[in-house]
Amino acid sequence: MFTARTTVHRLLRRLHTRVLPKPAPRAAVGRAFAAGLGGAAVLLGSVATVASLESDEAVFTNWSATHSCHPTKVYHPESLQELVSIVAHHHAQKKKLRCMGSGVSPNGLGFSDASILTMSAFDRILEIDVAKKQVTVESGVVVGDLLTHLRSHGLTLQNVASIREQSIAGVTQAGCHGTGAAIPPMEEQIVSMEVLTPAEGLVTLDASDPRFQLAKCGLGGLGVVTKLTLQCVPMHYLEETTTVMTLDELKKVHASLLVDNQHLRYMWLPYTDKVVVVTCKPFTGAEVPAPTISSDMDARLESLRALYQQVATVPEPDFRSWRFTQLRDALYALDPLNARYIARVNETEVDFWLRSQGVRVALSDDVIGFDCGGQQLVSEVAFPSPRGEDITFMEDLLRRIERDQIPAHTPIEQRWTASSRAAMSPASASDAREVFSWVGIIYYLHEASPSLDAIKDAFVDYSKVLEDVMAPYGATEHWAKLEFDPRTALERHILKERLRERFPLAAYKAVRDSWDPHHILSNDFVDELCSNDL
């Protein structure tokens, strides 16, 4: 096995997937790439040399190892000319060619068992306009790298998702969101974009083109994003405060928390009466103060370590060196589907958060990100949340969890964004004043767990409970976390009817038919979404 960070070719340098080739030393892998250099594609009557990797050399899995694909060929264009060649060749042959970002998506949104196209070589930062606070980048730039570069110019992105290893085109095409009730999801930072389409070639889009709002969150099915111009904001510090509250305490201050903070995140702990509240406000002081959060991690982890030592038959000898998320994952793995045991772990986790309360000040892009834990199954939904319905939603969900004795792992995360003008965004709305709440559930898939298949089956049931709860709220799933399998034909029909009511799928399909008439850029997910079955 080798990972993105240890490969010898730029094809895999930027992929945040796990890549499982046939066992071979690095030199052999290099030879496999060299053997694929003869892959040819036609461009304006000429033949372009295209780097490719044959299918028996690569199996891609997402970060959580929940989805994988075994593509027939992997293309890694190093230039726009090569990219145009590849797309033109597949368009002429009417063969599938899926553009994959970093492969992080929990549902494998960018995967395909046909040919895969990676834009990891398109990783240049092309221009920074400090006066306009705008940056123009190629689509394969990794978000973390972009943030680091922007710092040297006194700029940053207004909002980012929690995982920084994603490509900028990947997070925007999938509708990733970040948090902040007055800040829209990430695709709203796009000022203009360049898209390579199979039928119409390179198309440049901005707000003056009605297709722009469909393409910003295009699910990779309208064209290959090659370039983006993003609106930035001045680099700034945030004061992050972590507090543990009861539900009753939270209800009294929730409305003001949404208004008074630039970013806001709740971490609900099922089977407890506590919620972890993380607020962020701009910090304007002259000097960054020392954090008030305890630096004594031994004390903060004391209760969780004691529980692990008590319940683990043979505790791992190095467990005292584990981070909080590692320790929590290992505890869940001991009995992941026992609701009573999970409740005990969650109650013990409360003590960790009580000892972790306090304030820290850091640059905004350091504060917004956080450790998401290990391999996991996740589902997330977004819904408009007027008049405190966001808290009512959580009360309904927590009641169902306790009623049905669901072994709900922590946290159930709740965040907020402003609405988006992007037609396919889960937070799309005609009213710019609309605020959307995002709620995500999770099960961890620890490698030590003896029941991974059972956990996956149980998560399907958990997700159905979430669907039951979300129905009255008009919620819809995050595109990178929506699963069509393992639904029955009837369940798929109901899901697609709900999506048709929520999104302008007819307009989306019309643009797809124009730009990509043979639908070569779509995978099973996009084709299923666009199918006309009734």
Side-chain angles (χ1 to χ4, degrees), residues 13 51 123 156 182 205 260 337 385 393 422-424 458 464 469 492:
R13 183 170 66 86
D123 60 355
T156 192
L205 302 166
D260 295 342
L337 299 180
S385 54
F393 181 102
M424 295 294 288
K464 288 180 178 178
V469 171
R492 285 175 180 244

Side-chain angles (χ1 to χ4, degrees), residues 180-182 239 256-264 278-282:
E239 180 179 281
S256 61
L257 290 177
L258 277 175
V259 173
D260 295 342
N261 290 282
Q262 183 169 308
H263 305 278
L264 179 65
V278 183
T279 63
C280 295
K281 295 181 178 180

Side-chain angles (χ1 to χ4, degrees), residues 32 68 217 261 269 288 337 380 392 412:
S68 64
C217 179
N261 290 282
L269 309 179
V288 175
L337 299 180
E380 186 176 24
T392 304
I412 299 178

Side-chain angles (χ1 to χ4, degrees), residues 486-524:
R487 300 174 191 264
T488 65
L490 176 60
E491 289 171 337
R492 285 175 180 244
H493 169 74
I494 294 172
L495 169 61
K496 285 189 284 188
E497 282 298 297
R498 173 160 54 81
L499 294 175
R500 288 187 183 106
E501 292 178 2
R502 176 69 178 88
F503 297 104
L505 291 183
Y508 178 87
K509 289 189 285 185
V511 174
R512 185 175 76 139
D513 289 344
S514 173
W515 285 354
D516 182 15
H518 306 312
H519 305 159
I520 66 166
L521 299 177
S522 299
N523 59 357
D524 291 344

Side-chain angles (χ1 to χ4, degrees), residues 411-434:
I412 299 178
E413 193 171 70
Q414 186 172 31
R415 291 179 280 177
W416 289 263
T417 68
S419 63
S420 173
R421 292 170 294 177
M424 295 294 288
S425 170
S428 65
S430 57
D431 188 349
R433 298 168 298 179
E434 194 84 78

